[in-house]
Amino acid sequence: MPRLLALAPILLCAAALVLSLLCLFAGTNKTFLEDYSIVTLNTSRLGQSALNTSRSSDNPFISFIDNVTNTISSDINSDLNSFAKDLGLHDFYSAHLRDYCEGYYTPGPVPNATLSKHSIHKNVTACSNHTATFNFDPRAVLQRELNASGHSNINLTDLKWPEAIDKGLHALAAAQKATFVLYCVAIALIGLALLLAIVSVFFDGRISAFVNVLVDWLAFLAIGLASAIVTAVAVKASHVINHYGNSVGVSASKGGKFLILTWVATAVMLAASLVWCADCVVERKEPKRVRAGKGKGFGGEYENGRF
Ligand SMILES: *[C@@H]1O[C@H](CO)[C@@H](O)[C@H](O)[C@H]1NC(C)=O
Ligand SMILES: *[C@@H]1O[C@H](CO)[C@@H](O)[C@H](O)[C@H]1NC(C)=O
Ligand SMILES: *[C@@H]1O[C@H](CO)[C@@H](O)[C@H](O)[C@H]1NC(C)=O
Ligand SMILES: *[C@@H]1O[C@H](CO)[C@@H](O)[C@H](O)[C@H]1NC(C)=O
Ligand SMILES: *[C@@H]1O[C@H](CO)[C@@H](O)[C@H](O)[C@H]1NC(C)=O
Ligand SMILES: *[C@@H]1O[C@H](CO)[C@@H](O)[C@H](O)[C@H]1NC(C)=O
Ligand SMILES: *[C@@H]1O[C@H](CO)[C@@H](O)[C@H](O)[C@H]1NC(C)=O
Ligand SMILES: *[C@@H]1O[C@H](CO)[C@@H](O)[C@H](O)[C@H]1NC(C)=O
Ligand SMILES: *[C@@H]1O[C@H](CO)[C@@H](O)[C@H](O)[C@H]1NC(C)=O
């Protein structure tokens, strides 16, 4: 009789495999789970503090605005968004495991009396090409967009982009690159655990339970480590950006949905390995009965028609 206890780990491993694949592929294009980002950077008010402080015309950003508006009006701040659009900049940049996406907040980026925070939606316009060793570098991304719109004379220093953000994110670059490799290792191990669980339906016995425990624990450790590192990156990056960026109108939020996804995958994998542990204990408690019904190893089982 096939071992029914193996069905639970099969379902759990399959669930963990799907969840971890979703983590890996979230946001690879603008329609596929784009809101499952690791960190979302909100640059919709970038440039605000350049407007407030020295409005000197040797800042190319200020002269760009003065050139466009021909007025030095006080409520230029409310039009900041349209200037940013003219410069090729977007409202938000959401970093995923292998790429980033960008877009605008609709109907507007900043909540006001008539616009509640909940009615603001992200309108994703594009996602970058994916690379295995993706590393989110907002300064390079923003400068590339300024260059692409023909404003390479304006640099991020003119927009008062804090250098401390670059330093803080640079410190996380290695961890960010490692997460992709860890997710791949974890997915391979979870796939192996799933195969072993399927095979174990037909071959019971302590050895198969031990092999399953081992592989499931390794898979759990890999996905757990990947989740821990990606959580650390998300928390640290959003902290650094908010700490140095809030005063210049830049903010960030960590991706709650992505973190839930990856930690649920970890918990499911833990459950799978606990089921195999329980199976080991059960097998150990009744070794006599198991052995008596077993014939001589796998060959004997096969001949007895147990396969
Ligand atoms: C986005 O990717 C998913 C899965 O990779 C695919 O099913 C979907 O068709 C893609 N959508 C677009 C617009 O490319
Ligand atoms: C810039 O000035 C506006 C009012 O003119 C104010 O509401 C805003 O908080 C200021 N921003 C910064 C970053 O100082
Ligand atoms: C201002 O606009 C004029 C023409 O529209 C252009 O030739 C000039 O380079 C602009 N100056 C700046 C600082 O952008
Ligand atoms: C609130 O923001 C929206 C979008 O930016 C704008 O259309 C609306 O006029 C604003 N309302 C007020 C009261 O400022
Ligand atoms: C974007 O950032 C600005 C400035 O920090 C903030 O006022 C606004 O509420 C943010 N918008 C969203 C949708 O988070
Ligand atoms: C989203 O952006 C696209 C192109 O940038 C635009 O055509 C579309 O109307 C926008 N959607 C909303 C809801 O604003
Ligand atoms: C993305 O890939 C396309 C072709 O696949 C290439 O033409 C384009 O230059 C790439 N973009 C970037 C930013 O690397
Ligand atoms: C943008 O243009 C400037 C000057 O044209 C160049 O020095 C810089 O390398 C460019 N940056 C990017 C990210 O393309
Ligand atoms: C940015 O531009 C200013 C002049 O507008 C220049 O002094 C500064 O060196 C530039 N910074 C970088 C990193 O290119």
Side-chain angles (χ1 to χ4, degrees):
M1 199 192 86
R3 181 159 57 169
L4 288 178
L5 194 57
L7 291 182
I10 289 177
L11 292 179
L12 290 170
C13 287
L17 187 63
V18 170
L19 291 174
S20 45
L21 281 172
L22 288 182
C23 288
L24 191 63
F25 285 100
T28 45
N29 65 32
K30 53 185 188 170
T31 51
F32 191 66
L33 297 181
E34 201 289 319
D35 45 346
Y36 285 70
S37 61
I38 298 171
V39 181
T40 302
L41 176 67
N42 170 355
T43 54
S44 58
R45 304 307 289 169
L46 181 59
Q48 189 183 39
S49 54
L51 284 174
N52 275 16
T53 52
S54 63
R55 294 210 40 158
S56 69
S57 50
D58 50 328
N59 182 332
F61 173 61
I62 300 295
S63 38
F64 163 76
I65 288 180
D66 288 347
N67 211 6
V68 172
T69 58
N70 279 321
T71 50
I72 306 184
S73 74
S74 55
D75 60 272
I76 224 167
N77 240 308
S78 55
D79 278 338
L80 185 62
N81 220 227
S82 63
F83 299 131
K85 270 185 199 176
D86 289 341
L87 291 173
L89 303 178
H90 292 77
D91 281 350
F92 67 84
Y93 297 86
S94 46
H96 300 280
L97 217 45
R98 294 189 294 159
D99 65 344
Y100 68 88
C101 297
E102 60 190 16
Y104 301 103
Y105 288 116
T106 56
V110 182
N112 58 26
T114 54
L115 183 61
S116 77
K117 198 168 174 93
H118 288 290
S119 47
I120 297 180
H121 294 290
K122 285 159 84 183
N123 187 2
V124 184
T125 53
C127 293
S128 69
N129 292 345
H130 349 127
T131 50
T133 55
F134 170 66
N135 166 33
F136 186 51
D137 180 358
R139 180 186 279 268
V141 169
L142 293 167
Q143 187 65 55
R144 212 180 299 130
E145 298 198 316
L146 286 171
N147 283 12
S149 68
H151 295 98
S152 57
N153 59 321
I154 301 176
N155 67 28
L156 284 188
T157 312
D158 301 323
L159 294 169
K160 305 284 182 234
W161 178 267
E163 222 166 275
I165 292 184
D166 303 324
K167 285 202 187 113
L169 294 184
H170 186 71
L172 298 174
Q176 215 190 344
K177 287 177 184 170
T179 49
F180 172 75
V181 177
L182 272 172
Y183 271 99
C184 291
V185 170
I187 285 168
L189 284 170
I190 294 172
L192 183 61
L194 177 61
L195 281 181
L196 283 173
I198 292 172
V199 168
S200 309
V201 172
F202 305 106
F203 298 101
D204 62 359
R206 246 195 291 171
I207 304 240
S208 111
F210 274 136
V211 171
N212 273 291
V213 168
L214 190 69
V215 173
D216 283 32
W217 272 109
L218 283 177
F220 162 66
L221 284 182
I223 188 74
L225 190 61
S227 304
I229 292 182
V230 88
T231 305
V233 168
V235 169
K236 190 78 187 137
S238 51
H239 174 78
V240 162
I241 292 171
N242 286 326
H243 187 263
Y244 297 106
N246 275 358
S247 58
V248 295
V250 175
S251 58
S253 55
K254 52 183 183 296
K257 286 181 177 177
F258 181 88
L259 295 183
I260 289 173
L261 195 63
T262 185
W263 283 110
V264 168
T266 308
V268 168
M269 215 46 227
L270 177 63
S273 41
L274 289 180
V275 171
W276 281 123
C277 277
D279 191 51
C280 265
V281 172
V282 171
E283 300 266 345
R284 186 181 300 217
K285 270 192 184 153
E286 5 183 301
K288 292 240 168 74
R289 197 187 58 74
V290 170
R291 235 172 244 160
K294 222 181 184 184
K296 290 166 198 139
F298 287 144
E301 283 171 25
Y302 193 76
E303 275 160 29
N304 289 342
R306 283 188 76 256
F307 197 74

